[in-house]
Amino acid sequence: MDIIKDRLYTTGTSSAPRRSAQTAMHHVAQAMVRWLAPILSFTAEEVWGFLPGKRNESVFLNTWHQFPLGTERVPAIDWPALIALKADVARDLERCGRRVRLGRRSRRR
């Protein structure tokens, strides 16, 4: 979800990448709320009420979510490498931010 967040904030409202990310999140939410329903029944019912689209009155009146065909494809992106890269960049940005904050403190004295 952290990777998708960037796509949602930086692309146009009707762009294909944004709509694709929203569709993926919709399918994940549909599946997760059904998986969690037996464990977190009240929370799942509340989430179910906020999900968009036409659906049954209760999460418990549904079968498992069926993902669309094509989701079993081999991804064109090496996701583990991309996630590792994003973590490395975030760590380096945090270090740079600390240096800037420390530099500002030393100048104030």
Side-chain angles (χ1 to χ4, degrees), residues 41-97:
S41 55
F42 293 107
T43 304
E45 281 291 342
E46 187 172 354
V47 170
W48 189 251
F50 286 101
L51 289 177
K54 187 176 179 183
R55 61 194 178 288
N56 288 331
E57 168 182 332
S58 171
V59 67
F60 292 103
L61 299 175
N62 292 278
T63 58
W64 296 122
H65 180 67
Q66 296 297 313
F67 287 93
L69 295 176
T71 55
E72 66 283 343
R73 296 183 305 211
V74 176
I77 297 173
D78 182 2
W79 286 106
L82 183 62
I83 291 168
L85 175 64
K86 189 172 192 292
D88 291 344
V89 169
R91 186 180 57 248
D92 288 345
L93 286 173
E94 179 62 28
R95 281 188 204 142
C96 291

Coordinates of all heavy atoms in Angstrom, one line a residue, residues 41-97:
S41 N -15.5 -9.4 13.7 CA -16.8 -9.4 13.1 C -17.4 -8.0 13.1 O -17.9 -7.5 12.1 CB -17.7 -10.4 13.8 OG -17.8 -10.1 15.2
F42 N -17.4 -7.2 14.2 CA -18.0 -5.9 14.3 C -17.3 -4.9 13.4 O -17.9 -4.1 12.7 CB -18.1 -5.4 15.7 CG -19.0 -6.2 16.5 CD1 -18.6 -7.1 17.5 CD2 -20.4 -6.1 16.4 CE1 -19.4 -7.8 18.3 CE2 -21.3 -6.8 17.1 CZ -20.8 -7.7 18.1
T43 N -15.9 -5.0 13.4 CA -15.1 -4.1 12.6 C -15.3 -4.4 11.1 O -15.5 -3.5 10.3 CB -13.6 -4.3 12.9 OG1 -13.4 -4.0 14.3 CG2 -12.8 -3.3 12.1
A44 N -15.4 -5.7 10.8 CA -15.6 -6.1 9.4 C -17.0 -5.6 8.9 O -17.1 -5.1 7.8 CB -15.5 -7.6 9.2
E45 N -18.0 -5.7 9.7 CA -19.3 -5.2 9.3 C -19.3 -3.7 9.1 O -19.9 -3.2 8.2 CB -20.4 -5.5 10.4 CG -20.9 -7.0 10.4 CD -21.7 -7.3 9.1 OE1 -22.2 -6.4 8.4 OE2 -21.8 -8.5 8.9
E46 N -18.6 -3.0 9.9 CA -18.5 -1.5 9.8 C -17.8 -1.2 8.5 O -18.2 -0.3 7.7 CB -17.8 -0.9 11.0 CG -17.9 0.6 11.0 CD -17.3 1.2 12.2 OE1 -17.0 0.5 13.2 OE2 -17.2 2.5 12.3
V47 N -16.7 -1.8 8.2 CA -15.9 -1.6 7.0 C -16.8 -1.9 5.8 O -16.8 -1.2 4.8 CB -14.6 -2.4 7.0 CG1 -13.9 -2.3 5.6 CG2 -13.6 -1.9 8.1
W48 N -17.5 -3.0 5.9 CA -18.3 -3.4 4.8 C -19.3 -2.4 4.4 O -19.6 -2.1 3.2 CB -19.1 -4.7 5.2 CG -19.8 -5.4 4.1 CD1 -21.2 -5.5 3.9 CD2 -19.2 -6.1 3.0 NE1 -21.5 -6.2 2.8 CE2 -20.3 -6.6 2.2 CE3 -18.0 -6.4 2.6 CZ2 -20.1 -7.3 1.1 CZ3 -17.8 -7.1 1.4 CH2 -18.8 -7.6 0.7
G49 N -19.9 -1.7 5.4 CA -20.8 -0.6 5.1 C -20.2 0.6 4.4 O -21.0 1.3 3.7
F50 N -18.9 0.8 4.5 CA -18.3 1.9 3.8 C -17.7 1.6 2.4 O -17.3 2.5 1.7 CB -17.2 2.5 4.7 CG -17.7 3.3 5.8 CD1 -17.8 2.7 7.1 CD2 -18.2 4.6 5.6 CE1 -18.3 3.5 8.2 CE2 -18.7 5.3 6.7 CZ -18.8 4.8 8.0
L51 N -17.6 0.3 2.1 CA -17.0 -0.1 0.8 C -17.9 0.4 -0.3 O -19.2 0.2 -0.2 CB -16.8 -1.6 0.7 CG -15.7 -2.1 1.6 CD1 -15.6 -3.7 1.4 CD2 -14.3 -1.5 1.2
P52 N -17.4 0.9 -1.4 CA -18.2 1.4 -2.5 C -18.8 0.2 -3.3 O -18.2 -0.9 -3.3 CB -17.3 2.2 -3.4 CG -15.9 1.7 -3.1 CD -16.0 1.2 -1.6
G53 N -19.8 0.5 -4.1 CA -20.4 -0.5 -5.0 C -21.6 -1.3 -4.4 O -21.9 -1.2 -3.2
K54 N -22.2 -2.1 -5.2 CA -23.4 -2.8 -4.8 C -22.9 -4.1 -4.2 O -22.0 -4.8 -4.7 CB -24.2 -3.1 -6.0 CG -25.5 -3.8 -5.7 CD -26.3 -4.0 -7.0 CE -27.7 -4.7 -6.6 NZ -28.5 -4.9 -7.8
R55 N -23.5 -4.5 -3.0 CA -23.1 -5.7 -2.3 C -24.2 -6.1 -1.4 O -25.1 -5.4 -1.1 CB -21.8 -5.5 -1.6 CG -21.9 -4.4 -0.5 CD -20.5 -3.9 0.0 NE -20.7 -2.9 0.9 CZ -21.1 -1.7 0.6 NH1 -21.3 -1.3 -0.6 NH2 -21.3 -0.8 1.5
N56 N -24.0 -7.3 -0.8 CA -25.0 -7.8 0.2 C -25.1 -6.9 1.4 O -24.1 -6.2 1.7 CB -24.7 -9.2 0.6 CG -24.9 -10.2 -0.5 OD1 -25.8 -10.0 -1.3 ND2 -24.2 -11.3 -0.5
E57 N -26.1 -7.1 2.2 CA -26.3 -6.3 3.4 C -25.3 -6.6 4.5 O -24.9 -5.7 5.2 CB -27.7 -6.7 3.9 CG -28.1 -6.2 5.3 CD -29.5 -6.7 5.6 OE1 -30.3 -6.9 4.8 OE2 -29.7 -6.9 6.8
S58 N -24.7 -7.8 4.5 CA -23.7 -8.1 5.6 C -22.5 -8.8 4.9 O -22.7 -9.6 3.9 CB -24.4 -9.1 6.6 OG -23.4 -9.6 7.5
V59 N -21.4 -8.6 5.5 CA -20.2 -9.3 5.0 C -20.3 -10.8 5.1 O -19.7 -11.5 4.4 CB -18.9 -8.7 5.7 CG1 -18.9 -9.1 7.2 CG2 -17.6 -9.2 5.0
F60 N -21.1 -11.2 6.1 CA -21.2 -12.6 6.4 C -22.2 -13.4 5.4 O -22.3 -14.6 5.4 CB -21.7 -12.9 7.8 CG -20.7 -12.5 8.8 CD1 -20.9 -11.3 9.5 CD2 -19.6 -13.3 9.1 CE1 -19.9 -10.9 10.4 CE2 -18.7 -12.9 10.0 CZ -18.8 -11.7 10.7
L61 N -22.8 -12.6 4.5 CA -23.6 -13.2 3.5 C -22.9 -13.3 2.1 O -23.6 -13.5 1.1 CB -24.9 -12.3 3.3 CG -25.8 -12.2 4.5 CD1 -26.9 -11.2 4.3 CD2 -26.3 -13.5 5.0
N62 N -21.6 -13.4 2.1 CA -20.8 -13.4 0.9 C -19.9 -14.6 0.9 O -19.5 -15.1 2.0 CB -20.0 -12.1 0.8 CG -20.9 -11.0 0.5 OD1 -21.2 -10.7 -0.6 ND2 -21.2 -10.2 1.5
T63 N -19.4 -15.0 -0.3 CA -18.4 -16.0 -0.4 C -17.0 -15.2 -0.5 O -17.0 -14.0 -0.5 CB -18.6 -16.8 -1.7 OG1 -18.6 -15.9 -2.8 CG2 -19.9 -17.6 -1.6
W64 N -15.9 -15.9 -0.6 CA -14.6 -15.3 -0.8 C -14.6 -14.4 -2.0 O -15.2 -14.8 -3.0 CB -13.5 -16.3 -0.8 CG -13.3 -17.1 0.4 CD1 -13.4 -18.5 0.5 CD2 -13.1 -16.7 1.7 NE1 -13.2 -18.9 1.8 CE2 -13.0 -17.8 2.6 CE3 -13.0 -15.4 2.3 CZ2 -12.8 -17.7 3.9 CZ3 -12.7 -15.3 3.7 CH2 -12.7 -16.4 4.5
H65 N -13.9 -13.4 -2.0 CA -13.8 -12.4 -3.1 C -13.0 -13.1 -4.3 O -12.0 -13.8 -4.0 CB -13.0 -11.2 -2.7 CG -12.9 -10.2 -3.8 ND1 -14.0 -9.5 -4.4 CD2 -11.8 -9.7 -4.5 CE1 -13.5 -8.7 -5.3 NE2 -12.2 -8.8 -5.4
Q66 N -13.5 -13.0 -5.5 CA -12.9 -13.5 -6.7 C -12.1 -12.4 -7.3 O -12.7 -11.5 -7.8 CB -13.9 -14.1 -7.6 CG -14.7 -15.3 -7.1 CD -13.8 -16.5 -6.8 OE1 -13.0 -16.9 -7.6 NE2 -13.9 -17.1 -5.6
F67 N -10.8 -12.6 -7.4 CA -9.9 -11.6 -8.1 C -10.1 -11.7 -9.6 O -10.3 -12.9 -10.0 CB -8.5 -11.7 -7.7 CG -8.2 -11.2 -6.3 CD1 -8.2 -12.1 -5.2 CD2 -7.9 -9.9 -6.1 CE1 -8.0 -11.6 -3.9 CE2 -7.7 -9.4 -4.8 CZ -7.7 -10.3 -3.7
P68 N -10.0 -10.6 -10.3 CA -10.2 -10.7 -11.8 C -9.1 -11.6 -12.4 O -8.0 -11.7 -11.9 CB -10.1 -9.3 -12.2 CG -9.5 -8.5 -11.1 CD -9.7 -9.3 -9.9
L69 N -9.4 -12.1 -13.6 CA -8.4 -12.9 -14.3 C -7.2 -12.0 -14.7 O -7.4 -10.8 -15.0 CB -9.0 -13.5 -15.6 CG -10.2 -14.5 -15.4 CD1 -10.8 -14.9 -16.7 CD2 -9.6 -15.7 -14.6
G70 N -6.1 -12.6 -14.7 CA -4.9 -11.9 -15.1 C -4.0 -11.5 -13.9 O -2.9 -11.0 -14.0
T71 N -4.6 -11.7 -12.7 CA -3.8 -11.3 -11.5 C -2.7 -12.3 -11.2 O -1.8 -12.0 -10.3 CB -4.7 -11.1 -10.3 OG1 -5.4 -12.3 -10.1 CG2 -5.6 -9.9 -10.4
E72 N -2.7 -13.4 -11.8 CA -1.7 -14.4 -11.6 C -0.5 -14.3 -12.5 O 0.5 -15.0 -12.4 CB -2.2 -15.8 -11.7 CG -2.7 -16.2 -13.1 CD -4.0 -15.6 -13.6 OE1 -4.8 -15.2 -12.8 OE2 -4.2 -15.6 -14.8
R73 N -0.4 -13.2 -13.3 CA 0.7 -12.9 -14.2 C 2.0 -12.7 -13.3 O 1.9 -12.2 -12.2 CB 0.5 -11.7 -15.0 CG -0.7 -11.8 -15.9 CD -0.7 -10.5 -16.7 NE -0.8 -9.4 -15.8 CZ -1.5 -8.2 -16.1 NH1 -2.0 -8.1 -17.3 NH2 -1.5 -7.3 -15.3
V74 N 3.1 -13.0 -14.0 CA 4.4 -12.6 -13.4 C 4.6 -11.1 -13.6 O 4.4 -10.6 -14.7 CB 5.5 -13.4 -14.1 CG1 6.9 -13.0 -13.6 CG2 5.3 -14.9 -14.0
P75 N 4.8 -10.4 -12.5 CA 4.9 -8.9 -12.6 C 6.2 -8.5 -13.4 O 7.2 -9.2 -13.4 CB 5.1 -8.5 -11.1 CG 5.5 -9.7 -10.4 CD 5.0 -10.9 -11.1
A76 N 6.0 -7.4 -14.1 CA 7.1 -6.9 -15.0 C 8.1 -6.1 -14.1 O 9.2 -5.9 -14.5 CB 6.5 -6.0 -16.0
I77 N 7.7 -5.8 -12.9 CA 8.6 -5.1 -12.0 C 9.1 -6.0 -10.9 O 8.3 -6.8 -10.3 CB 7.8 -3.9 -11.3 CG1 7.3 -2.9 -12.4 CG2 8.6 -3.2 -10.2 CD1 6.4 -1.9 -11.9
D78 N 10.3 -5.9 -10.5 CA 10.9 -6.7 -9.4 C 10.5 -6.0 -8.1 O 11.2 -5.1 -7.6 CB 12.4 -6.7 -9.6 CG 13.1 -7.6 -8.5 OD1 12.4 -8.1 -7.7 OD2 14.3 -7.6 -8.5
W79 N 9.3 -6.3 -7.6 CA 8.8 -5.6 -6.4 C 9.7 -5.7 -5.2 O 9.8 -4.7 -4.5 CB 7.4 -6.1 -6.1 CG 6.4 -5.6 -7.1 CD1 5.8 -6.3 -8.1 CD2 5.9 -4.2 -7.2 NE1 5.0 -5.5 -8.8 CE2 5.0 -4.2 -8.3 CE3 6.2 -3.1 -6.5 CZ2 4.4 -3.0 -8.7 CZ3 5.5 -1.9 -6.9 CH2 4.6 -1.9 -8.0
P80 N 10.2 -6.8 -4.8 CA 11.1 -6.8 -3.7 C 12.3 -5.9 -3.8 O 12.6 -5.2 -2.8 CB 11.6 -8.3 -3.6 CG 10.5 -9.1 -4.3 CD 10.0 -8.2 -5.4
A81 N 12.9 -5.8 -5.0 CA 14.0 -4.8 -5.2 C 13.5 -3.4 -5.1 O 14.2 -2.5 -4.5 CB 14.6 -5.1 -6.6
L82 N 12.3 -3.1 -5.7 CA 11.8 -1.7 -5.6 C 11.4 -1.3 -4.2 O 11.7 -0.2 -3.7 CB 10.5 -1.6 -6.5 CG 9.9 -0.3 -6.6 CD1 10.9 0.7 -7.2 CD2 8.6 -0.3 -7.4
I83 N 10.9 -2.2 -3.4 CA 10.5 -1.9 -2.0 C 11.8 -1.7 -1.2 O 11.9 -0.8 -0.4 CB 9.7 -3.1 -1.4 CG1 8.3 -3.0 -2.1 CG2 9.5 -2.9 0.1 CD1 7.4 -4.2 -1.8
A84 N 12.8 -2.5 -1.5 CA 14.1 -2.4 -0.8 C 14.7 -1.0 -1.1 O 15.3 -0.3 -0.3 CB 15.1 -3.5 -1.1
L85 N 14.7 -0.7 -2.4 CA 15.2 0.6 -2.9 C 14.5 1.8 -2.2 O 15.1 2.7 -1.7 CB 15.1 0.8 -4.4 CG 15.5 2.1 -5.0 CD1 17.0 2.4 -4.7 CD2 15.2 2.2 -6.5
K86 N 13.1 1.7 -2.1 CA 12.3 2.8 -1.5 C 12.7 2.9 0.0 O 12.8 4.0 0.5 CB 10.9 2.5 -1.6 CG 10.0 3.6 -1.2 CD 8.5 3.3 -1.5 CE 7.6 4.5 -1.4 NZ 7.4 5.0 -0.1
A87 N 12.9 1.8 0.7 CA 13.3 1.8 2.1 C 14.7 2.4 2.3 O 15.0 3.2 3.2 CB 13.3 0.4 2.7
D88 N 15.7 2.1 1.3 CA 17.0 2.7 1.4 C 16.9 4.2 1.2 O 17.6 5.0 1.9 CB 17.9 2.1 0.3 CG 18.3 0.6 0.6 OD1 18.1 0.2 1.8 OD2 18.7 -0.1 -0.3
V89 N 16.1 4.6 0.2 CA 16.0 6.1 -0.1 C 15.4 6.8 1.1 O 15.9 7.8 1.6 CB 15.2 6.3 -1.3 CG1 14.8 7.8 -1.5 CG2 16.0 5.8 -2.6
A90 N 14.3 6.2 1.7 CA 13.7 6.8 2.9 C 14.7 6.9 4.1 O 14.7 7.9 4.8 CB 12.5 6.0 3.3
R91 N 15.5 5.9 4.3 CA 16.5 5.9 5.3 C 17.5 7.0 5.1 O 17.9 7.8 6.0 CB 17.2 4.6 5.5 CG 18.1 4.5 6.6 CD 18.8 3.1 6.8 NE 19.5 2.8 5.5 CZ 19.2 1.8 4.7 NH1 18.2 1.0 4.9 NH2 19.9 1.5 3.6
D92 N 18.0 7.1 3.8 CA 19.0 8.2 3.5 C 18.4 9.6 3.6 O 19.0 10.5 4.1 CB 19.5 8.0 2.1 CG 20.5 6.7 2.1 OD1 20.9 6.3 3.1 OD2 20.8 6.3 0.9
L93 N 17.1 9.7 3.2 CA 16.5 11.0 3.4 C 16.3 11.4 4.9 O 16.5 12.6 5.2 CB 15.1 11.0 2.7 CG 15.1 11.1 1.2 CD1 13.7 10.9 0.7 CD2 15.7 12.4 0.7
E94 N 16.0 10.4 5.7 CA 15.9 10.7 7.1 C 17.3 11.1 7.7 O 17.3 12.0 8.5 CB 15.4 9.4 7.8 CG 15.3 9.6 9.3 CD 14.3 10.6 9.8 OE1 13.3 10.9 9.0 OE2 14.5 11.2 10.8
R95 N 18.3 10.5 7.3 CA 19.7 10.9 7.7 C 20.0 12.3 7.3 O 20.5 13.1 8.1 CB 20.7 9.9 7.1 CG 20.8 8.6 7.8 CD 22.1 7.9 7.3 NE 21.9 6.5 7.5 CZ 22.2 5.5 6.7 NH1 22.8 5.8 5.6 NH2 22.0 4.3 7.0
C96 N 19.7 12.6 6.0 CA 19.9 14.0 5.6 C 19.1 15.0 6.4 O 19.6 16.1 6.7 CB 19.5 14.1 4.1 SG 20.7 13.2 3.0
G97 N 17.8 14.6 6.7 CA 17.0 15.5 7.5 C 17.5 15.7 8.8 O 17.5 16.8 9.4

